[in-house]
Amino acid sequence: MSHHPFARHRLLRPAAVLPALVLALAACSSGSSTSEAPGSQAPSSQASSGGASVTLSGLAFKVTEITVPVGGLTFVNQDVVTHILAEGENGVEVSDARVQKVSVNGGSQGDLVFTVAGDYHITCTVHHAMNMEVHVQ
């Protein structure tokens, strides 16, 4: 049985690359800006200037209130179901909405864009118990 002299190195290469990949991904995720601390269920949050995000998980917003600057707010859907986010309360979209609703599929993300400062009630039109307030400055 003959072995190629580099065959062993080819088999080890993925094992050598994996730790570097894990470290690179960890570095990328640790620099992300989220509205809540890891594991936090805080009822209120202050957004950072680098762009704010709110996690959707367990058919709920991870924060019920957030303050952000004028611009976009990213919603990261960790559920497997789609959430349709709109300005309104208890699943009912207001007729004179100041923001365009967004559909966020499970495992993806979507943005609501706030162009005018003010207070906004945001709800999921599919899951009526999902409600939060966004204070735009």
Side-chain angles (χ1 to χ4, degrees):
M1 176 183 266
S2 146
H3 291 282
H4 189 278
F6 297 111
R8 185 171 126 161
H9 294 290
R10 274 188 258 141
L11 292 175
L12 294 177
R13 185 173 292 166
V17 172
L18 185 59
L21 180 60
V22 169
L23 287 175
L25 290 174
C28 289
S29 66
S30 68
S32 67
S33 174
T34 59
S35 60
E36 67 272 351
S40 171
Q41 294 277 338
S44 178
S45 180
Q46 185 74 25
S48 71
S49 62
S53 67
V54 173
T55 300
L56 309 172
S57 179
L59 302 181
F61 294 103
K62 285 299 183 180
V63 295
T64 57
E65 189 172 352
I66 189 169
T67 301
V68 298
V70 171
L73 176 59
T74 300
F75 291 85
V76 180
N77 187 355
Q78 293 181 346
D79 288 327
V80 296
V81 298
T82 297
H83 295 291
I84 300 173
L85 307 179
E87 185 177 1
E89 292 183 84
N90 301 318
V92 179
E93 183 178 1
V94 297
S95 59
D96 57 344
R98 297 169 286 171
V99 295
Q100 184 174 353
K101 69 181 171 183
V102 63
S103 179
V104 187
N105 293 329
S108 67
Q109 63 186 33
D111 296 326
L112 285 178
V113 179
F114 300 91
T115 58
V116 177
D119 296 328
Y120 296 79
H121 295 281
I122 303 300
T123 189
C124 176
T125 62
V126 180
H127 308 98
H128 301 176
M130 292 180 64
N131 295 284
M132 73 172 297
E133 287 186 57
V134 178
H135 305 286
V136 180
Q137 299 178 340

